[in-house]
């Protein structure tokens, strides 16, 4: 609900163009023998928690590993995104 409200507000102010375009991109497989790692982070200020998602796929799209992590804390978008990348590389 909070996410939907934020998206509506962002669309009304015109600040969501990059975000909408970003989510409309289709996943493309990497070259053979390459693993692609996608990360994402979300923040709920109302529930005071953050979430991170990490998924690794090979060139055929096979999922090699996936992880979700929820923490009860306040967070900032750029910091949580960076932490998701850090966790992915560990």
């Amino acid at each position: 609900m909070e996410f939907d409200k934020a998206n509506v507000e962002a669309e009304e102010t015109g600040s969501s163009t990059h975000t909408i375009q970003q989510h409309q991109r289709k996943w493309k497989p990497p070259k053979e023998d390459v693993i692609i790692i996608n990360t994402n982070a979300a923040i709920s200020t109302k529930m005071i928690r953050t979430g991170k998602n990490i998924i690794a796929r090979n060139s055929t799209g096979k999922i090699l590993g996936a992880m979700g992590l929820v923490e009860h804390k306040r967070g900032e978008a750029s910091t949580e995104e960076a932490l998701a990348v850090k966790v992915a590389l560990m």
Side-chain angles (χ1 to χ4, degrees):
M1 190 71 135
E2 186 176 343
F3 175 79
D4 293 334
K5 182 181 175 187
N7 279 338
V8 168
E9 289 173 1
E11 286 176 14
E12 289 172 355
T13 62
S15 65
S16 67
T17 305
H18 178 70
T19 304
I20 291 171
Q21 290 173 350
Q22 202 173 32
H23 289 290
Q24 290 177 348
R25 281 190 269 168
K26 186 176 178 180
W27 184 84
K28 294 180 183 177
K31 295 178 183 177
E32 192 172 336
D33 297 327
V34 173
I35 296 171
I36 191 166
I37 299 172
N38 295 103
T39 62
N40 192 27
I43 299 168
S44 172
T45 54
K46 184 176 181 179
M47 299 181 76
I48 309 174
R49 68 179 179 186
T50 64
K52 298 171 195 60
N53 298 304
I54 302 155
I55 189 165
R57 296 179 190 233
N58 66 12
S59 60
T60 65
K62 179 181 177 184
I63 296 174
L64 304 175
M67 174 186 213
L69 176 65
V70 175
E71 296 178 280
H72 294 279
K73 66 175 190 173
R74 296 188 191 280
E76 292 184 28
S78 59
T79 302
E80 296 306 316
E81 291 282 352
L83 288 171
V85 172
K86 179 182 176 183
V87 170
L89 296 173
M90 295 176 97

